[in-house]
Amino acid sequence: MTNTTAPLPLIRLPVPPDRLIYSRLPTDFYPWTEVLTDLERRQDPEFSAVMDIQQDSRWARFVWVRGVARGGVGAGGRDVPLEITMQALSQAQVTLTQVDPLVAEIIWLCRATPPQPLVSPWPQAYDELSRERFYGALIAENTCSYWESGRVVSGVIPHSGMACLVVTPASRLDRTELLRFWQQMIAMAQRANPSFSEVWRQVGMQLSVEHVALDPFAHDITVQAGVLRVAPDVPVQELRPALLAAFRGTLTRLGLRLVDLPINDLKQQAIWGIAGMEAS
């Protein structure tokens, strides 16, 4: 899918502007203490936002996902704390934008990932991104769109003929971490409803046309008594969307909701977004 040339320098992903809260607010006239008070007032479980701080050529970016502060990043993809940023950029301009939780998660996870050029221009690139269930951001000239499982969830798609760049989190391909996450989620759901494993098998059969690894007779992905087992030769690119689809489908069939499960600790971890749960 991507070109074999060297990756480009790091970039700050564009933030969708449609839910702008304030733009280029000068801390000379609106002190940091008042900015912090405003941020504290906005905190609730639905607050997902990106705060950009700029002073001359220096900058920092901070991200919240569903009320949880993911952290801050500065030039070169280095993580930075807010306290140090306020001291270093004492005469900055502050822009705060509320965004979809999935967009916020992608922006945070891609903070230190350089873009890669795609071989095909738009719209040929769409088929590749859809087939590979792309997760991340697609950039072309002045457009940027955010993707989950090969579909656009926010932003603007390119015009025909535009060359494309993609940014996707490097950590999203960590198979061990992904499996550990789903083992915990499935165990929780099994405890909440003992029928989970049997319904998973039924749902997997229905989804196996799209996700071959879910075919219960192939034994690539199985769930028995709430224990997930995955064959070692299932590629992680197939594993992630298959597990996500089967889990969603099984919860729906059982009438279970995510809020019925003790997921608060997992929601605060980056793997929550990597696994695709921000789109749930």
Side-chain angles (χ1 to χ4, degrees):
M1 180 180 73
T2 55
N3 202 317
T4 56
T5 57
L8 301 174
L10 288 174
I11 61 172
R12 273 183 289 175
L13 288 174
V15 180
D18 50 313
R19 297 166 68 189
L20 182 69
I21 297 174
Y22 44 78
S23 176
R24 298 180 181 178
L25 192 70
T27 55
D28 279 344
F29 301 102
Y30 196 84
W32 273 116
T33 52
E34 296 188 36
V35 173
L36 292 178
T37 300
D38 177 72
L39 286 171
E40 185 176 354
R41 179 178 61 83
R42 296 180 186 277
Q43 295 302 311
D44 64 56
E46 299 305 314
F47 182 70
S48 297
V50 177
M51 182 172 70
D52 282 311
I53 303 165
Q54 188 86 35
Q55 182 173 321
D56 300 323
S57 61
R58 294 182 295 167
W59 62 270
R61 166 173 280 180
F62 292 83
V63 178
W64 290 261
V65 181
R66 296 193 188 276
V68 177
R70 287 289 187 245
V73 61
R78 296 187 300 271
D79 288 1
V80 295
L82 182 56
E83 295 79 8
I84 300 300
T85 300
M86 290 188 298
Q87 296 174 11
L89 306 181
S90 59
Q91 296 179 301
Q93 293 183 328
V94 181
T95 298
L96 182 66
T97 309
Q98 195 161 353
V99 295
D100 183 271
L102 179 64
V103 172
E105 193 69 74
I106 291 174
I107 287 174
W108 177 247
L109 293 174
C110 292
R111 67 193 183 281
T113 306
Q116 294 273 1
L118 287 181
V119 174
S120 302
W122 191 265
Q124 291 88 337
Y126 174 82
D127 292 335
E128 299 174 10
L129 297 173
S130 178
R131 182 174 61 252
E132 298 192 11
R133 301 183 183 279
F134 174 66
Y135 174 89
L138 174 72
I139 303 168
E141 295 184 11
N142 295 324
T143 69
C144 180
S145 53
Y146 290 87
W147 296 60
E148 159 64 28
S149 294
R151 62 181 181 87
V152 180
V153 295
S154 182
V156 180
I157 62 172
H159 298 298
S160 180
M162 281 186 174
C164 301
L165 303 173
V166 291
V167 185
T168 190
S171 59
R172 69 181 258 97
L173 298 180
D174 188 328
R175 181 189 184 91
T176 301
E177 185 181 10
L178 188 66
L179 287 177
R180 185 182 300 118
F181 170 83
W182 281 115
Q183 285 163 352
Q184 293 179 68
M185 290 294 293
I186 289 169
M188 287 180 191
Q190 179 74 23
R191 288 192 292 269
N193 191 316
S195 299
F196 182 88
S197 295
E198 176 56 33
V199 174
W200 173 287
R201 177 183 172 86
Q202 298 167 11
V203 170
M205 179 69 76
Q206 294 177 343
L207 294 174
S208 61
V209 174
E210 183 178 0
H211 304 282
V212 178
L214 290 175
D215 186 341
F217 298 106
H219 301 291
D220 289 329
I221 299 175
T222 61
V223 173
Q224 295 180 340
V227 177
L228 170 69
R229 292 184 176 86
V230 177
D233 59 346
V234 180
V236 70
Q237 292 90 340
E238 295 180 17
L239 187 60
R240 178 185 174 277
L243 290 172
L244 181 61
F247 187 79
R248 287 173 173 167
T250 305
L251 288 190
T252 299
R253 182 78 63 84
L254 291 170
L256 276 176
R257 302 172 302 166
L258 281 176
V259 294
D260 297 326
L261 306 178
I263 57 176
N264 287 340
D265 288 344
L266 283 174
K267 283 185 68 174
Q268 297 183 30
Q269 300 175 27
I271 186 61
W272 183 265
I274 295 170
M277 296 303 292
E278 285 303 345
S280 298

